[in-house]
Structures are given as structure tokens and as C-alpha cells.
Amino acid sequence: MKKTLRITYLKKAEKFLAKNSTTIKESDVDELIVLAVKRKLFNMDVNIDLKALKGSLKGKFRVRKGKVRIIFEIIEKEVIIESIIEDIDFRGNIY
């Protein structure tokens, strides 16, 4: 059975991308999320800095690209894998 990946950006993440388009583009974020999902759900050997978060952010994941951090959640249903990008920001402001 083929699964579909849906990537959803919350307003806060969209706002960051609009302000910092020279630092990271939406296509870069999409590519990172696809790699993270491949690594987490399908155990593929992908070179990406992925970390499961703890505490109040338990159940969410962090992907790092340079000084930018992307916090997202993976919701796996039968046919659709949904990745909700909750926040994108620089290292000192994200947590």
C-alpha cells in the first residue's frame, strides 16, 4: 500500500519563512521533512540531524540545518502520513 506525505505549516512557521527567505526556503524545509520521515518511519539510512524532543515537546521532533531548527510532529494514519511543522526559528529562540 502506497502512503502519501502531507506537510502542513502552522502560521508561526510560515511567518518565519516569509521573513527569512534568504536563510532557508520552503523547498529546503520540505526536503528535510521528507528525509526525516524516511528515517523515522521507514528506518532508511539517511544523513540528517533528527532528534526526538523531551519534556513539554514530547512526541515532536527537531531537524537542524545550520542555525535553523524545525520542530514538527508526525501523525501516521493508514494511507496518509501528515507532518505538521509547528515552528521554525534560530537556535536561541526555538525552545
Side-chain angles (χ1 to χ4, degrees):
M1 179 184 302
K2 188 173 182 179
K3 294 192 177 201
T4 305
L5 176 63
R6 182 184 330 160
I7 300 175
T8 306
Y9 289 83
L10 295 184
K11 192 171 189 172
K12 192 173 183 182
E14 287 178 344
K15 212 175 201 182
F16 178 85
L17 288 173
K19 287 182 183 178
N20 298 288
S21 61
T22 57
T23 305
I24 191 165
K25 294 179 177 46
E26 187 174 339
S27 59
D28 296 335
V29 174
D30 290 345
E31 189 176 311
L32 288 169
I33 296 301
V34 167
L35 291 174
V37 168
K38 283 182 180 180
R39 182 169 178 188
K40 184 64 185 161
L41 297 182
F42 303 112
N43 296 322
M44 296 178 86
D45 189 23
V46 180
N47 187 15
I48 187 168
D49 189 358
L50 176 68
K51 183 176 182 181
L53 297 176
K54 301 176 184 176
S56 63
L57 296 174
K58 188 174 183 175
K60 295 176 177 43
F61 299 92
R62 185 268 296 152
V63 171
R64 179 178 69 91
K65 180 169 182 178
K67 293 182 179 181
V68 177
R69 306 298 189 265
I70 303 162
I71 295 179
F72 67 99
E73 182 177 12
I74 299 173
I75 301 170
E76 187 176 10
K77 298 178 184 170
E78 284 192 33
V79 182
I80 299 173
I81 300 169
E82 184 171 13
S83 181
I84 301 173
I85 300 172
E86 298 197 4
D87 199 1
I88 303 173
D89 210 336
F90 293 105
R91 190 185 114 187
N93 304 329
I94 193 77
Y95 307 105

